[in-house]
Amino acid sequence: MRPRALKPATNKRCPGYPITVVSPAFRAVMKTPLAFRRIIASVVFITLCSLGSAQSETDSLTRPFIAQKALVLSVDGPDGRRLRFRGLNPDPIHEKLVNGSLAAFHPSEGDTIPGVNGAQWKSVVLAENGSTEKRGLYLDLQVTMKEASSVILSTSGSETYVNGVPRAGNVYGYNYVELPITLTKGLNHVLLRSGRKPLRAHLSTPPSPVSLSDKDMTLPDLVVGESADTWGALIVRNTTQETARGFTISVTGSGLDEAPTLIPSIPPMSLLKTGFRIRSIAPQATGEIETRLTLRNRDGVTQHQLKAPLKVLEPDQTRRITFVSEIDGSVQYYALRPATANADDDPTPAIVLSCHGASVEGRGQAAAYGPKRWFHIVAPTNRRPYGFDWEDFGRMDAMEVLSLSKASLRHDPSRIYLTGHSMGGHGAWHLAVTYPDQFAAVGPSAGWISRSTYGRRRRSENAPSPVERLTQRSNTPSETQGLATNLKQLGVYILHGGADNNVPASQAQTMAELLEGMHHDWFYHEEPEKNHWWSNDFGDNGSACVDWPFMFDSFARHALPPSSVVRQVQFTTANPGISSQCHWLEIVQQIQHSAVSEVTLHLWPNKRQIRGTTKNVALLKLDLSHMSNRDPISVIVDEQTLEDISQPRSGSLYLARKNAQWTVVNKPSPSLKGPHRYGGPKDVLDHRFLFVYGTMGKQAENDWAFQKARFDAETYWYRGNASVECIPDTQFSLEAYRDRSLVLYGNATTNGAWTSLLSDSPVQVDSEAILVGEQRMAGNDLSTIFVRPRPDSDRASVVVIAGTGLPGMRDTYQQTLFLPFVRFADCVVNRQGKQIAGGYFGNDWSVETGEFEFEPEKGQAKAN
């Protein structure tokens, strides 16, 4: 008779080695005296552990894994530091990524890099945490496996490649980058490019196939006496080869509701920072609430648990407030230092929006101020300590936080102010020139002007091509000086340390000189001999470089007027999708997209007349709802007179310019370009956008689509504390994801969602060519990024990342939407990394009414 199989039991002393009862000898041993059994057990235990220690850790990975085989590409000599800062140009690793040979790249000790003096691969020994003190351009970690295994990779480096596949980098050396990866049978290579911290590569076993991480939690602070209904977030890692669906997270603790939160599906070998609901009765004392987070599968079986203590603070203490962002559905936070006003005669508090510097957290920014009676300090996060330099998603975060704080805080709406330090000083400049009617005054401290004016920026030695000149116009919204006329509407207080060796005082001096020629309400203070971060006797219980009493005294003397009393509006924008409105005036459409548009209008309500001038404006909207008299209106604009205009019942008057003539028009269709949907691919990533990757192509094409989508999702998470759903085209439907913006990976052949979303697009991509209007570009090495309106929505957009063949698809790895200061025109086409076409769709989203350039290629004449 076959013996009954017994379920193996886990040996807790020697993990990974099961104890299975199969031998009669074992039963005989169990009949011996207890003392003898203990001797036998000790021998067995030592033998098993000896076997375990002798076996290579690369086989079982039951303990944190430290690889012994590693090479560093170091550069000796004076070029070493420069190359670590700027990298190789051209970079042979990037070339191998695009041509598809990176997976087969296996450097050996002593190998050199052609054309780079002193560059050589050298063996190094990794420390216990996987790091090396040897500085270098790249680290190559080599792991030989007898069987395939799923592990967690912790890294530090600006770029990460696992067996030739790009994964999220860790340029700033955060400790929370833990990527699920698969080590295949045989030789594996983990390649890291240098970042700001020493190179590090460390492997460990996941605690369960789908698990939680405590390394990057976003948690709120609770307040004594206040119940809570809010959100937290943490990373969920899927280290399986299947999509993780139906998982829930619940939080338990004193006074907390344990109701589970269903989390989105997580693709294979991926991570997702996901939100979970936190509901609490009002705590009665400060301290910490011990909580436990539990991850369960769709059957309700517990998969993993973590502790996550919640702080309880007094109502007047600086605290973190979490919220679900409408941009991408992620859980973000902002810090609040509430006003301490408590007397009956205290004024209604103001709001001061304060932007932090590089490497600073929002909570640290708020804590740098002493308590204030007359204003709240609200500190958004820019999405991360470095984030997006308060542009793009950082700018969106700041304005979303401002809107939330105005809705939740008791405040005086006429007293909204803006400040920031260092990178946050740039943020203050950028937000002020972009949204001048949102703030009564601005006070940049140690702020740099724009990327083009500050720091060591790599510039091409070659003059830009016509295509590049056109597409580079998309950077215009970042040029502070070009939008500086908007500052006329605000009080300005410029603060800088005279000996600042980080952001030179010349940045502030340049802005002061600019304001001197056009502004009447500004002040410049340069504190002698002070460096970047400083304090002195004037610090109001905070750090003087941010908590400068004279700046706030100036703020107190400024008020934001209601739009109904404003008689003159002078407004400048470079992109209505970013900023379109100032008081009762709105620039709806431009003539030249992403170029500066200007409007100056004067209103005489009793005369029922509006006069002014425009530049680069195709469609204007004037909100006249505050004019109570219903008599006809006359408009004199650009020396053209429009008389006897009936005031619209909606209160909004639309004026269109065509062929240098202005006419009154009806409200435009939402299917046209407008502030609701305008700008390049990066500008329209909102409405809780998601990624859709193609699965209808060849296996290698499908692999690229998934890997590129995962790479972008990880990059955005790292840079923006973000959470983006990533789904295959087979899961997408118009109804299930209504009114959400999308990023499609693949072309008309490889992505099944293309037909329902892009069948009418003037840009078409297949495996042979890219068609832009009537212009056809052929070859398998073409790539493109472009934006289109979502056809079934009045507000959502579709962003496409596509290639014609594998060479073109792989080229998109070098084009990412989720880095700061990277911007795109409406459509860009590349061949082997070089722009060959690009431009902006017209206001009807067509190529014909837009502005495009096409570079002539061999055998072709130039076409426009």
Side-chain angles (χ1 to χ4, degrees):
M1 184 176 68
R2 179 176 297 178
R4 181 171 58 91
L6 299 180
K7 184 178 180 180
T10 301
N11 182 344
K12 297 180 180 179
R13 299 292 298 273
C14 289
Y17 290 89
I19 301 175
T20 306
V21 182
V22 293
S23 171
F26 184 85
R27 300 188 184 93
V29 169
M30 294 302 295
K31 294 180 181 179
T32 60
L34 177 61
F36 186 64
R37 293 206 309 267
R38 286 176 174 171
I39 294 174
I40 295 175
S42 298
V43 172
V44 171
F45 171 73
I46 293 172
T47 302
L48 288 173
C49 288
S50 299
L51 289 172
S53 62
Q55 187 175 8
S56 170
E57 291 185 62
T58 57
D59 297 336
S60 63
L61 292 173
T62 55
R63 294 179 294 277
F65 176 78
I66 307 298
Q68 300 300 315
K69 180 70 170 176
L71 301 174
V72 164
L73 178 62
S74 62
V75 180
D76 298 327
D79 288 341
R81 186 176 185 278
R82 177 183 62 82
L83 289 174
R84 282 194 298 274
F85 181 77
R86 296 189 175 183
L88 299 170
N89 188 22
D91 191 314
I93 301 302
H94 291 172
E95 291 177 347
K96 294 179 185 300
L97 173 66
V98 174
N99 66 30
S101 64
L102 186 55
F105 175 59
H106 300 162
S108 300
E109 185 171 7
D111 286 354
T112 60
I113 300 296
V116 182
N117 293 329
Q120 190 176 55
W121 290 95
K122 298 180 180 180
S123 293
V124 293
V125 177
L126 300 182
E128 186 175 351
N129 68 349
S131 66
T132 174
E133 296 301 322
K134 178 69 174 177
R135 303 292 293 186
L137 302 181
Y138 281 95
L139 169 70
D140 180 55
L141 173 67
Q142 302 177 8
V143 188
T144 301
M145 302 291 295
K146 289 187 177 180
E147 300 294 339
S149 294
S150 297
V151 299
I152 299 295
L153 170 66
S154 303
T155 71
S156 178
S158 61
E159 297 172 10
T160 303
Y161 303 92
V162 179
N163 291 328
V165 176
R167 301 297 298 270
N170 185 11
V171 63
Y172 300 117
Y174 298 145
N175 69 346
Y176 52 69
V177 179
E178 297 180 331
L179 305 174
I181 68 168
T182 298
L183 295 178
T184 60
K185 182 179 180 180
L187 180 63
N188 295 263
H189 284 261
V190 175
L191 192 63
L192 307 177
R193 186 183 177 185
S194 62
R196 295 194 175 199
K197 299 293 180 67
L199 289 163
R200 177 172 59 86
H202 183 270
L203 300 173
S204 60
T205 301
S208 64
V210 181
S211 62
L212 307 174
S213 172
D214 62 355
K215 295 292 182 63
D216 185 28
M217 290 189 184
T218 300
L219 298 173
D221 294 323
L222 305 184
V223 178
V224 171
E226 297 180 13
S227 60
D229 185 357
T230 185
W231 291 81
L234 83 169
I235 296 168
V236 183
R237 302 170 301 202
N238 179 10
T239 52
T240 75
Q241 302 298 326
E242 302 294 332
T243 298
R245 293 188 176 93
F247 282 77
T248 62
I249 295 176
S250 57
V251 54
T252 55
S254 177
L256 299 177
D257 182 356
E258 192 182 352
T261 302
L262 179 66
I263 66 175
S265 61
I266 307 174
M269 303 309 297
S270 300
L271 59 83
L272 179 71
K273 187 163 186 181
T274 185
F276 55 89
R277 203 68 176 263
I278 299 175
R279 293 187 177 95
S280 168
I281 62 174
Q284 299 304 306
T286 60
E288 283 190 350
I289 297 177
E290 290 295 329
T291 67
R292 183 177 294 276
L293 299 173
T294 301
L295 177 72
R296 294 184 175 91
N297 65 14
R298 64 173 63 197
D299 297 322
V301 178
T302 297
Q303 302 297 295
H304 194 211
Q305 291 185 317
L306 284 178
K307 293 181 179 180
L310 294 174
K311 291 184 178 180
V312 181
L313 304 174
E314 293 288 356
D316 61 348
Q317 287 184 281
T318 300
R319 61 182 180 267
R320 294 169 298 185
I321 299 173
T322 55
F323 64 96
V324 177
S325 172
E326 287 301 314
I327 299 168
D328 55 8
S330 63
V331 175
Q332 303 293 328
Y333 89 90
Y334 64 93
L336 169 67
R337 176 141 213 170
T340 58
N342 51 27
D344 291 340
D345 60 347
D346 278 333
T348 303
I351 291 177
V352 174
L353 191 74
S354 181
C355 302
H356 65 73
S359 81
V360 180
E361 282 273 5
R363 192 176 191 280
Q365 179 74 2
Y369 294 88
K372 300 292 184 291
R373 292 174 66 85
W374 69 274
F375 62 84
H376 308 286
I377 288 289
V378 175
T381 66
N382 181 42
R383 288 298 189 99
R384 286 291 193 193
Y386 290 91
F388 297 89
D389 292 47
W390 297 103
E391 299 192 30
D392 300 324
F393 299 104
R395 179 194 67 247
M396 296 181 197
D397 174 73
M399 298 310 292
E400 189 171 30
V401 166
L402 178 61
S403 178
L404 290 168
S405 61
K406 288 196 293 187
S408 62
L409 293 172
R410 176 176 172 268
H411 74 283
D412 182 345
S414 70
R415 297 197 296 164
I416 309 293
Y417 306 105
L418 173 64
T419 186
H421 177 264
S422 189
M423 180 183 76
H426 165 67
W429 283 126
H430 179 63
L431 293 171
V433 300
T434 305
Y435 308 106
D437 65 342
Q438 295 296 304
F439 306 99
V442 60
S445 174
W448 42 274
I449 302 170
S450 60
R451 185 175 176 85
S452 61
T453 67
Y454 170 64
R456 294 173 291 179
R457 308 301 179 198
R458 186 188 304 178
R459 294 178 174 86
S460 173
E461 297 179 356
N462 302 319
S465 68
V467 172
E468 291 169 336
R469 280 198 301 271
L470 179 60
T471 59
Q472 285 171 5
R473 222 163 60 195
S474 62
N475 294 316
T476 308
S478 298
E479 294 299 330
T480 301
Q481 290 162 290
L483 305 176
T485 55
N486 285 338
L487 294 172
K488 292 181 182 181
Q489 305 176 50
L490 295 79
V492 180
Y493 193 107
I494 307 173
L495 179 65
H496 218 104
D500 194 330
N501 63 358
N502 188 321
V503 179
S506 60
Q507 292 284 299
Q509 293 161 4
T510 297
M511 287 303 294
E513 292 170 2
L514 182 62
L515 293 176
E516 187 174 18
M518 66 173 185
H519 206 330
H520 69 280
D521 186 14
W522 63 278
F523 189 85
Y524 178 81
H525 177 76
E526 188 174 302
E527 188 69 5
E529 300 180 358
K530 291 298 184 181
N531 208 311
H532 193 58
W533 184 268
W534 51 272
S535 196
N536 61 16
D537 292 341
F538 290 114
D540 189 16
N541 200 35
S543 298
C545 61
V546 293
D547 199 355
W548 187 241
F550 306 103
M551 177 192 295
F552 295 114
D553 186 58
S554 172
F555 284 1
R557 287 166 167 77
H558 290 83
L560 187 64
S563 295
S564 60
V565 306
V566 174
R567 299 283 296 271
Q568 176 182 341
V569 177
Q570 183 177 6
F571 177 57
T572 302
T573 187
N575 184 336
I578 294 174
S579 173
S580 66
Q581 188 171 350
C582 186
H583 294 300
W584 41 264
L585 177 155
E586 185 169 21
I587 299 175
V588 180
Q589 294 175 352
Q590 298 174 296
I591 299 170
Q592 279 193 321
H593 299 263
S594 291
V596 170
S597 297
E598 299 175 356
V599 177
T600 301
L601 290 182
H602 300 260
L603 170 66
W604 284 267
N606 296 324
K607 292 168 55 173
R608 310 289 290 169
Q609 188 177 91
I610 300 170
R611 294 182 192 169
T613 60
T614 71
K615 174 186 174 182
N616 190 35
V617 177
L619 184 63
L620 267 179
K621 174 186 175 183
L622 305 179
D623 180 5
L624 306 179
S625 58
H626 57 279
M627 297 176 64
S628 57
N629 189 333
R630 304 292 298 182
D631 292 340
I633 302 166
S634 65
V635 177
I636 304 171
V637 57
D638 297 333
E639 301 183 349
Q640 180 186 344
T641 301
L642 303 173
E643 299 202 72
D644 294 327
I645 303 172
S646 298
Q647 183 169 335
R649 292 187 178 276
S650 67
S652 296
L653 177 66
Y654 291 90
L655 302 174
R657 181 181 177 119
K658 187 174 183 181
N659 300 324
Q661 292 294 310
W662 286 96
T663 57
V664 178
V665 296
N666 294 325
K667 181 181 178 179
S669 166
S671 64
L672 301 175
K673 275 191 174 183
H676 64 294
R677 190 161 51 186
Y678 206 104
K682 207 171 184 181
D683 303 317
V684 300
L685 291 180
D686 52 10
H687 303 305
R688 300 200 178 197
F689 66 93
L690 72 151
F691 295 167
V692 182
Y693 58 89
T695 64
M696 302 298 174
K698 300 175 183 177
Q699 186 60 52
E701 294 170 329
N702 296 342
D703 290 345
W704 163 81
F706 169 70
Q707 291 163 3
K708 170 62 174 169
R710 180 179 61 183
F711 173 70
D712 282 351
E714 291 175 349
T715 301
Y716 184 39
W717 155 70
Y718 179 83
R719 294 276 182 172
N721 191 29
S723 177
V724 180
E725 287 184 74
C726 193
I727 64 171
D729 51 5
T730 53
Q731 186 180 327
F732 175 77
S733 72
L734 298 176
E735 185 63 32
Y737 298 95
R738 180 177 295 277
D739 280 332
R740 294 181 65 174
S741 292
L742 311 167
V743 181
L744 256 61
Y745 295 86
N747 58 40
T749 305
T750 66
N751 194 304
W754 190 284
T755 301
S756 62
L757 293 166
L758 297 162
S759 59
D760 294 333
S761 169
V763 180
Q764 291 293 325
V765 187
D766 59 27
S767 59
E768 297 180 351
I770 294 178
L771 187 70
V772 179
E774 299 297 322
Q775 188 75 13
R776 186 176 187 272
M777 294 152 280
N780 67 353
D781 57 350
L782 294 167
S783 64
T784 182
I785 296 180
F786 65 93
V787 60
R788 298 297 300 167
R790 181 168 165 169
D792 63 326
S793 173
D794 287 341
R795 60 182 184 139
S797 303
V798 181
V799 174
V800 177
I801 299 177
T804 50
L806 282 174
M809 292 174 176
R810 289 191 294 257
D811 190 47
T812 63
Y813 280 122
Q814 301 181 79
Q815 306 163 47
T816 177
L817 300 169
F818 304 105
L819 293 180
F821 301 113
V822 176
R823 302 188 64 80
F824 296 87
D826 290 2
C827 176
V828 174
V829 179
N830 290 337
R831 188 189 297 277
Q832 300 177 16
K834 176 179 171 26
Q835 287 188 17
I836 63 169
Y840 307 90
F841 299 113
N843 288 316
D844 61 355
W845 289 102
S846 72
V847 173
E848 292 76 17
T849 63
E851 190 176 1
F852 279 81
E853 285 280 354
F854 299 89
E855 284 294 304
E857 299 188 86
K858 291 181 179 179
Q860 295 181 345
K862 183 177 179 180
N864 287 313

